[in-house]
């Protein structure tokens, strides 16, 4: 018997899960709030650890979409539970009956302007990691003008209780290093600093990336948080930080500052949670049944999770979780039958 | 006419009352001497001088009547609560006064006895009625009725405090309860005792009917000594426990008022003036509802009433824990019926704590004043703008202020362009007065050397310390809300009004309750948008939760305070929250769904550029 699975979120998790669910013989219905599939991934240029092309990954993810119903520019209006079914109404007027729902809602970028001391949106040469990827894609950003000194600020809105985000966003360390190396390739004469708390190079090949950044690209690493940023008369940025390894305050004038905005829980999480009764953790991410054994199942019957909806994750982790979720959903149907 | 019923003028039943009375009197006399001895010499002289100063004495008399007897502040808060307190206080006071008048009129030789005016009706018998006598009797019954009505309200309040505008009341100690119940018992017992005697000793509209009632239901109504015993025991019990209960505020406040009017301030956590304040706390619990920490039920124990209780009990660890938790927002003091200086009391305790951190201020000497004041020391410039440390974290504020100044064509210099020397307020708030002094002196030097007539400050926290603790030789310290409003009123800057926008203004603690600035920011904001009120504002504004005052509140606890404060601000669904303190702005922005902006930003956004206008 064919069953409907509603997948909320058309990022890598949602797309990968949709294909797998279809392969199991069920009917995936994928909805995406933005006008194209791909989520945050679609806005990126290259990926760590080895500079893999986003374009290629997206092509493989979208290559085979046959039998998958998907709607872009679509939001959830309501979800109601009827005995063993969920009835969802979309913002485009369509309503579907689903036997299971997969939350692949991902994350929201931390709004960097909330850390006002870094001056995003106030000073002319402060950008975010996402802005930089956009620049790599398009080659255009009025804020980047032949920079001689560039700074990368790690952990902007990550591991920062005052910003309301206690968690580590996991991907920014490697992203910062990748971007720093890319900038060095674009501007070989530039001096590039990375301001970090800890460098969390946990994945395979990540440490190589770090060594390369130091040896091959000459990126300078400063252990310490940036305390404040101001603009001098010429419009250059004056960055103050503490080098905690030396125990001295430092002050560097720069032409570009890149803020590594972290992953916040998806802003729509509370709304979706209130419709379905799934649990939200203290940190704002969805709470699975448990964090070890059943990390793709929710506390509500027939609702599953994949990807960054349950916390920051890298691309391969997200894709694997999507596959695991598809398997869990199939298993759930088999048990019910 | 009246005559004495007993030649001795004495009966054993007065003993409980006399014991209590003498005990309380001795206690109070010793207490007054103790406080006066503990005061610093210059403070003591100040007190003596104030007692011969007719202006201050006039103030004392006004406050004695207004605060101790009529409880004017409570009336303003809630009419029923005000009536309850003033009926008991003033009614009781009048019973004592008229009792004495009676004694001195009819039997002046007994005037020296404490108990005689109190038990007058027992000792005297009426021979014939006169107009004067019945008027006095009428007044006595009237004030007894007034007190009884107050007691009835007090009993109702114990069970339904909400009726009198109080959401929560203080948890009483055991002795407080003994005091409370004996206080409740005193006046009904007096009515019964006087009712028994009314047949002989006379009475009026209240006691005489009670006498008839007793006569009709009791076989031997003459046997009334037992009622007088009960009345005397109730009085005696009340006075014996008085020094150990919250009712100590009755005599203590009487003494606190002249000290306060003489300008004495808290210097030590539990000695001198502080001691007078500790005993003047009536444990009424107004601070429970006032305290921002009471959003959490667990936070209730950190309110001023419990702080005072712990200090009185000499429970140093608890007292210190509460003192360190406090946000120092000052709301409890403002709402307190006797305005206990809650912040000063806690600060005094913080100051006493050993401090192990060695501050190295040698860098201050290395900073050449010229580097900071190179542009200023020429003199003649009009405004020196100190943006403060917080402005480095909220650069929008100082940018906006500079934009307004530039547009207005004001000659100004940024005092801390090359780096801010902290104003010292955070150190001061944590009780580190000496360390703060080093910073204050350096800043004073820079400001004075600049020769600027006006010091402009955009941070409410800095503003307060510049106003209160700096000696600036007449340099005028202005908060940017005052200054911009002045510029707008004088037409130096022109602002456009966004008719469709609704703003709510948050009173920062340091600016509002701290420095009394409520109007200037509102006037200026009304020029650029429609101002809607918050549920509670001005002196009742709720701390944003980010206050530097607290040393130990956790992020979670602060978060809940912030949430509550935002809820209060958004009661009338504004489009934006405007505040005039960078710390409030930063704290709110973290949690608010509505955009939070700084006052300067709002003004800067709505400036009408002069050229465009022409």
């Amino acid at each position: 018997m064919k069953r409907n699975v509603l997948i909320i979120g058309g990022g890598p998790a949602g797309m990968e899960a949709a294909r797998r669910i279809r392969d199991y013989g069920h009917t995936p219905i994928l909805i995406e709030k933005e006008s194209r599939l791909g989520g945050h991934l679609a806005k990126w240029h290259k990926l760590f650890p080895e500079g893999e092309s986003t374009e290629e990954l997206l092509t493989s993810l979208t290559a085979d979409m046959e039998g998958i119903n998907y709607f872009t520019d679509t939001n959830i209006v309501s979800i109601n539970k009827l005995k063993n079914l969920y009835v969802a109404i979309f913002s485009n007027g369509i309503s579907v009956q689903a036997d299971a729902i997969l939350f692949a809602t991902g994350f929201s970028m931390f709004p960097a302007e909330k850390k006002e001391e870094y001056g995003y949106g106030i000073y002319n040469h402060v950008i975010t990691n996402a802005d930089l990827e956009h620049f790599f894609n398009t080659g255009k950003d009025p804020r980047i003008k032949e920079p001689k000194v560039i700074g990368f600020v790690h952990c902007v809105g990550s591991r920062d209780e005052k910003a309301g985000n206690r968690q580590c966003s996991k991907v920014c360390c490697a992203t910062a290093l990748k971007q720093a190396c890319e900038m060095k390739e674009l501007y070989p004469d530039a001096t590039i600093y990375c301001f970090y708390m800890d460098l969390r190079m946990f994945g395979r090949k990540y440490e190589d990336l770090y060594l390369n950044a130091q040896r091959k690209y000459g990126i300078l690493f400063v252990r310490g948080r940036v305390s404040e940023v101001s603009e001098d008369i010429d419009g250059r940025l004056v960055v103050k930080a503490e080098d905690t390894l030396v125990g001295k305050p430092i002050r560097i004038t720069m032409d570009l500052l890149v803020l590594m905005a972290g992953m916040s829980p998806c802003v729509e999480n509370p709304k979706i949670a209130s419709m379905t009764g799934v649990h939200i953790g203290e940190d704002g991410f969805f709470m699975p049944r448990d964090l070890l054994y059943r990390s793709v199942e929710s506390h509500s019957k027939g609702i599953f999770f994949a990807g960054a909806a349950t916390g920051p994750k890298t691309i391969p982790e997200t894709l694997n979780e999507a596959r695991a979720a598809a398997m869990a959903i199939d298993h759930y149907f088999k048990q019910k039958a | 006419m009246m005559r004495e019923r007993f030649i001795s003028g004495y009966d054993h039943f007065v003993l409980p009352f006399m014991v209590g009375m003498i005990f309380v009197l001795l206690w109070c006399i010793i207490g007054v001497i103790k406080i006066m001895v503990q005061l610093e010499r210059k403070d003591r002289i100040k007190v003596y001088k104030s007692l011969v100063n007719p202006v201050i004495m006039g103030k004392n008399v006004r406050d004695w009547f207004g605060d101790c007897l009529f409880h004017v502040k409570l009336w303003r808060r809630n009419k029923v609560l005000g009536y309850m307190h003033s009926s008991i206080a003033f009614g009781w006071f009048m019973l004592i006064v008229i009792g004495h008048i009676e004694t001195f009129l009819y039997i002046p030789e007994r005037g020296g006895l404490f108990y005689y005016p109190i038990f007058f009706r027992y000792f005297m018998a009426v021979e014939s009625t006169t107009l004067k006598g019945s008027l006095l009797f009428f007044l006595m019954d009237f004030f007894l009725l007034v007190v009884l009505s107050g007691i009835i309200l007090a009993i109702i309040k114990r069970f339904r405090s909400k009726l009198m505008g109080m959401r929560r009341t203080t948890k009483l100690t055991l002795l407080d309860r003994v005091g409370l119940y004996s206080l409740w018992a005193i006046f009904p017992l007096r009515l019964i005792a006087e009712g028994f005697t009314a047949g002989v000793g006379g009475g009026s509209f209240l006691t005489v009917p009670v006498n008839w009632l007793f006569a009709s239901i009791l076989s031997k109504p003459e046997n009334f000594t037992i009622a007088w015993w009960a009345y005397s025991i109730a009085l005696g019990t009340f006075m014996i426990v008085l020094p150990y209960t919250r009712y100590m505020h009755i005599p203590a406040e009487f003494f606190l008022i002249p000290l306060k009017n003489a300008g004495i301030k808290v210097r030590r956590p539990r000695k001198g003036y502080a001691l007078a304040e500790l005993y003047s706390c009536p444990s009424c619990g107004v601070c429970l509802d006032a305290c921002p920490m009471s959003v959490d039920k667990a936070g209730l124990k950190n309110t001023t009433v419990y702080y005072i209780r712990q200090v009185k009990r000499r429970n140093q660890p608890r007292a210190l824990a509460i003192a360190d938790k406090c946000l120092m927002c000052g709301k409890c003091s403002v709402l307190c019926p006797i305005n206990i200086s809650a912040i000063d009391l806690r600060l005094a305790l913080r100051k006493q704590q050993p401090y192990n951190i060695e501050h190295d201020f040698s860098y201050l000497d290395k900073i050449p004043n010229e580097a900071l004041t190179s542009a200023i020391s020429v003199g003649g410039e009009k405004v020196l703008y100190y943006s403060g440390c917080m402005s480095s974290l909220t650069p929008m504020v100082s940018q906006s202020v500079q934009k307004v100044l530039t547009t207005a064509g004001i000659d100004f210099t940024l005092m801390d362009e090359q780096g801010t020397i902290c104003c010292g307020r955070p150190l001061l708030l944590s009780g580190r007065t000496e360390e703060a002094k080093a910073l204050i002196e350096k800043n004073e030097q820079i400001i004075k050397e600049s020769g600027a007539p006006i010091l402009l400050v955009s941070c409410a926290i800095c503003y307060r310390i510049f106003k209160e603790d700096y000696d600036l030789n007449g340099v005028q310290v202005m908060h940017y809300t005052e200054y911009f409003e002045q510029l707008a009123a004088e037409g130096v800057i022109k602002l456009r009004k966004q008719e469709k926008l609704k703003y709510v203004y948050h009173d920062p603690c340091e600016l509002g309750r701290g420095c009394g600035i409520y109007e200037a920011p509102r006037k200026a904001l009304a020029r650029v948008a429609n101002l809607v009120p918050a549920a509670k504002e001005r002196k009742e504004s709720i701390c944003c939760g980010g206050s530097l005052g607290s040393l130990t509140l956790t992020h979670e606890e602060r978060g809940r305070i912030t949430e509550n404060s935002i809820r209060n601000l958004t009661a009338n669904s504004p489009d934006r929250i405007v505040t005039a303190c960078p710390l409030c702005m930063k704290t709110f922005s973290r949690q608010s769904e509505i955009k939070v902006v700084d006052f300067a930003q709002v003004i800067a956004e709505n400036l009408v550029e002069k050229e465009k206008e022409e």
Side-chain angles (χ1 to χ4, degrees), chain A residues 114 116-117 122-123 161-162 166 227-228 231 282, chain B residues 392-396 399 555-556 585-586 589-590:
Chain A
K114 271 200 174 183
E116 208 190 312
E117 56 266 47
I122 299 176
Y123 303 133
E161 274 196 279
K162 280 191 175 174
R166 198 186 300 158
S227 60
E228 56 181 81
E231 228 170 25
E282 203 194 339
Chain B
S392 307
L393 301 180
T394 54
M396 201 56 170
Q399 262 194 2
H555 276 299
E556 287 75 17
M585 181 179 77
K586 214 164 163 47
S589 315
R590 266 174 229 145

Side-chain angles (χ1 to χ4, degrees), chain B residues 179-462:
Chain B
L180 178 73
Y181 298 141
S182 52
L183 179 64
W184 284 358
I186 289 171
F187 297 95
L189 285 172
R190 177 171 177 144
L191 178 65
I192 293 169
E194 292 192 343
F196 271 116
T197 345
V200 195
S204 188
F205 67 95
L206 198 62
T207 38
V208 171
V210 174
N211 182 261
W212 293 337
L213 187 70
F214 286 150
S216 63
I217 55 171
L218 296 173
S219 52
K220 279 180 82 186
E222 296 80 22
N223 196 2
F224 46 62
T225 336
I226 189 157
W228 286 96
W229 266 101
Y231 172 42
S232 173
I233 288 171
L235 274 171
T237 315
F238 180 69
M239 285 189 287
I240 292 278
V241 294
L242 184 91
Y244 312 104
T245 66
R246 58 193 192 138
Y247 300 101
M248 190 59 201
H249 79 268
I250 300 168
E253 197 189 352
F254 185 80
F255 177 57
L256 180 75
I257 283 171
L259 291 185
K260 194 193 286 175
N261 287 339
I264 311 299
K265 293 258 173 332
V266 172
R267 289 183 194 273
R268 282 177 294 176
R270 46 165 301 123
K271 283 186 175 164
Y273 184 72
L275 191 60
E277 282 207 334
L278 294 178
Y279 280 109
S280 297
C281 169
S283 291
C284 62
V286 166
C287 47
L288 296 175
D289 287 343
C291 184
M293 286 189 282
S294 61
V295 285
D296 282 339
K297 212 169 168 220
L300 280 174
K301 63 180 192 298
N302 298 322
T303 49
T304 301
V305 54
Y306 295 117
Y307 173 71
I308 286 176
R309 191 175 285 177
Q310 300 299 348
V311 174
K312 273 177 48 188
R313 285 180 185 165
R314 295 176 182 273
N315 185 345
Q316 187 77 356
R318 268 302 300 148
L320 191 61
I322 300 177
D324 283 350
K325 267 264 153 91
C326 177
L327 290 154
M328 305 288 204
C329 75
K331 188 170 171 183
C332 54
S333 282
V334 173
L335 296 187
C336 174
I338 53 166
N339 299 119
I340 283 185
S341 21
I343 293 183
D344 293 349
L345 283 173
R346 287 176 170 90
L347 259 185
L349 191 66
R350 285 186 185 181
K351 279 180 195 164
Q352 275 193 344
Q353 298 320 301
Y355 190 55
N356 300 324
I357 302 166
E358 279 277 327
H359 280 273
D360 179 11
F361 286 126
S362 58
Y363 74 95
L364 286 177
D365 300 323
K366 287 180 206 141
I367 300 174
N369 284 5
E370 310 90 70
L372 290 162
T373 58
S374 54
I376 311 161
S377 48
V378 194
E381 277 181 284
K382 264 168 77 184
V383 172
L384 181 65
Y385 170 41
Y386 176 86
S387 65
C389 326
M390 268 309 293
S391 291
S392 307
L393 301 180
T394 54
M396 201 56 170
V397 176
S398 72
Q399 262 194 2
S400 303
V401 170
Q402 294 181 55
K403 186 184 165 196
V404 176
L405 293 175
T406 313
T407 312
I410 305 259
D411 211 359
F412 75 96
T413 305
L414 189 57
M415 173 172 151
D416 44 357
E417 192 167 19
Q418 304 298 317
T420 304
I421 297 172
C422 173
C423 64
R425 181 85 182 142
L427 278 170
L428 208 67
L429 272 175
S430 49
R432 314 294 24 135
T433 321
E434 284 310 308
E435 288 80 1
K437 233 177 226 163
L439 301 172
I440 292 176
E441 277 165 13
K442 182 73 181 178
N443 277 325
E444 275 175 352
Q445 200 186 342
I446 295 169
I447 296 165
K448 284 183 198 165
E449 276 179 24
S450 79
I454 295 178
L455 175 70
L456 181 66
V457 186
S458 58
C459 171
I461 304 162
C462 309

Side-chain angles (χ1 to χ4, degrees), chain B residues 408-540:
Chain B
I410 305 259
D411 211 359
F412 75 96
T413 305
L414 189 57
M415 173 172 151
D416 44 357
E417 192 167 19
Q418 304 298 317
T420 304
I421 297 172
C422 173
C423 64
R425 181 85 182 142
L427 278 170
L428 208 67
L429 272 175
S430 49
R432 314 294 24 135
T433 321
E434 284 310 308
E435 288 80 1
K437 233 177 226 163
L439 301 172
I440 292 176
E441 277 165 13
K442 182 73 181 178
N443 277 325
E444 275 175 352
Q445 200 186 342
I446 295 169
I447 296 165
K448 284 183 198 165
E449 276 179 24
S450 79
I454 295 178
L455 175 70
L456 181 66
V457 186
S458 58
C459 171
I461 304 162
C462 309
Y463 177 69
R464 184 162 185 193
I465 193 170
F466 280 128
K467 274 265 174 187
E468 287 182 354
D469 300 275
Y470 274 63
D471 173 18
L472 292 175
N473 266 353
V475 176
Q476 192 187 0
V477 183
M478 287 189 92
H479 190 248
Y480 67 158
T481 54
E482 296 175 288
Y483 191 63
F484 290 175
E485 167 55 20
Q486 189 185 312
L487 291 180
E490 288 169 355
V492 183
I493 51 170
K494 289 231 157 50
L495 300 166
R496 85 177 80 85
K497 185 160 182 171
Q498 315 239 19
E499 293 292 347
K500 279 183 200 151
L501 280 180
K502 284 195 292 180
Y503 287 0
V504 68
Y505 172 70
H506 167 72
D507 290 287
C509 308
E510 297 277 55
L511 191 66
R513 285 184 290 265
C515 301
I517 295 186
Y518 298 109
E519 290 312 320
R522 287 192 164 77
K523 276 189 196 159
L525 287 174
R527 294 174 194 273
V528 297
N530 294 307
L531 216 51
V532 294
K536 290 210 168 99
E537 55 176 15
R538 289 170 205 264
K539 67 176 190 179
E540 295 204 30

Side-chain angles (χ1 to χ4, degrees), chain A residues 69-90:
Chain A
N69 305 301
Y70 70 90
F71 306 97
T72 50
D73 289 316
T74 306
N75 283 301
I76 293 282
V77 176
S78 72
I79 300 174
N80 286 303
K81 192 170 184 194
L82 297 175
K83 228 181 155 196
N84 286 323
L85 274 180
Y86 289 96
V87 178
I89 302 174
F90 302 159

Side-chain angles (χ1 to χ4, degrees), chain A residues 29-31 63 127 134 289 291 294 301 329:
Chain A
I29 303 151
L30 178 67
I31 70 159
I127 63 170
H134 182 76
R289 281 283 280 277
L291 292 169
R294 291 194 280 201
K301 238 185 173 176
I329 290 171

